[in-house]
Amino acid sequence: LVLEPLNGTFLTKQLELSATGPAIKVGRKVSAKVGSERYNGVFDSKVLSRTHAEIWYEAGKVWVKDVGSSNGTFLNGDRLSEEAKASLPFEIKTGDELVFGIDIATDDQATGMYQKVACLVRIVEPGDLSFVRTESSQRGWDSAKGFGGMRVEQVLQMLE
């Protein structure tokens, strides 16, 4: 599963889902030891709950549910559940807009606003490198970082 940013709040994420694996936990960064990385569901965002949502693969489909967040999870503009209540599972598909949290204005005019995490969903099959092209076009080629922050060795390793 690839989550592409719609509002510049994070770099493209690639989450590995499998029928036998656990659900990916989506939430905000809560410790220095576990930060927002390309391959996890942690976001550096103050509008997300620590445990905000879960994403998993089951019966050939990808699912999302809000696990009782304060600021909500939205699929194509529709909130999945009431505040602080877990939702039912909802199927997500390529092209869907998945949003975690809401924009919240701050009292401090210098900071302005805490932004929601808005994503474009792309479901990719193993071996599909289209996410690399998207990431590299966002960030451009960098000889020190490779395609989209990945060195050629990392891309090749993913294909194995």
Side-chain angles (χ1 to χ4, degrees), residues 22-160:
I24 300 289
K25 308 287 186 196
V26 175
R28 76 169 183 256
K29 178 181 171 180
V30 292
S31 92
K33 293 181 181 180
V34 180
S36 176
E37 302 289 337
R38 177 185 170 104
Y39 301 105
N40 68 21
V42 177
F43 291 88
D44 189 13
S45 173
K46 294 183 185 226
V47 302
L48 269 65
S49 298
R50 288 182 178 123
T51 53
H52 195 98
E54 293 180 347
I55 300 174
W56 71 97
Y57 179 83
E58 182 180 351
K61 297 177 181 178
V62 180
W63 302 89
V64 64
K65 82 174 194 174
D66 188 297
V67 294
S69 71
S70 298
N71 293 324
T73 301
F74 301 80
L75 181 58
N76 297 320
D78 295 324
R79 189 169 182 152
L80 302 186
S81 63
E82 295 178 37
E83 182 177 342
K85 293 196 178 193
S87 73
L88 295 171
F90 287 83
E91 182 182 0
I92 56 177
K93 300 175 183 175
T94 294
D96 283 345
E97 182 177 318
L98 185 60
V99 175
F100 303 108
I102 56 174
D103 289 336
I104 298 176
T106 64
D107 294 332
D108 177 7
Q109 296 300 324
T111 2
M113 182 176 292
Y114 297 122
Q115 289 187 293
K116 63 190 175 192
V117 173
C119 315
L120 178 65
V121 172
R122 191 147 36 112
I123 298 171
V124 296
E125 298 298 321
D128 180 358
L129 291 181
S130 60
F131 69 91
V132 174
R133 286 192 301 276
T134 299
E135 178 101 348
S136 64
S137 66
Q138 287 177 349
R139 297 167 70 187
W141 170 258
D142 182 322
S143 60
K145 294 180 181 176
F147 285 106
M150 295 177 63
R151 300 196 60 71
V152 172
E153 299 83 23
Q154 290 173 299
V155 174
L156 293 174
Q157 186 179 27
M158 290 176 52
L159 292 173
E160 293 178 351

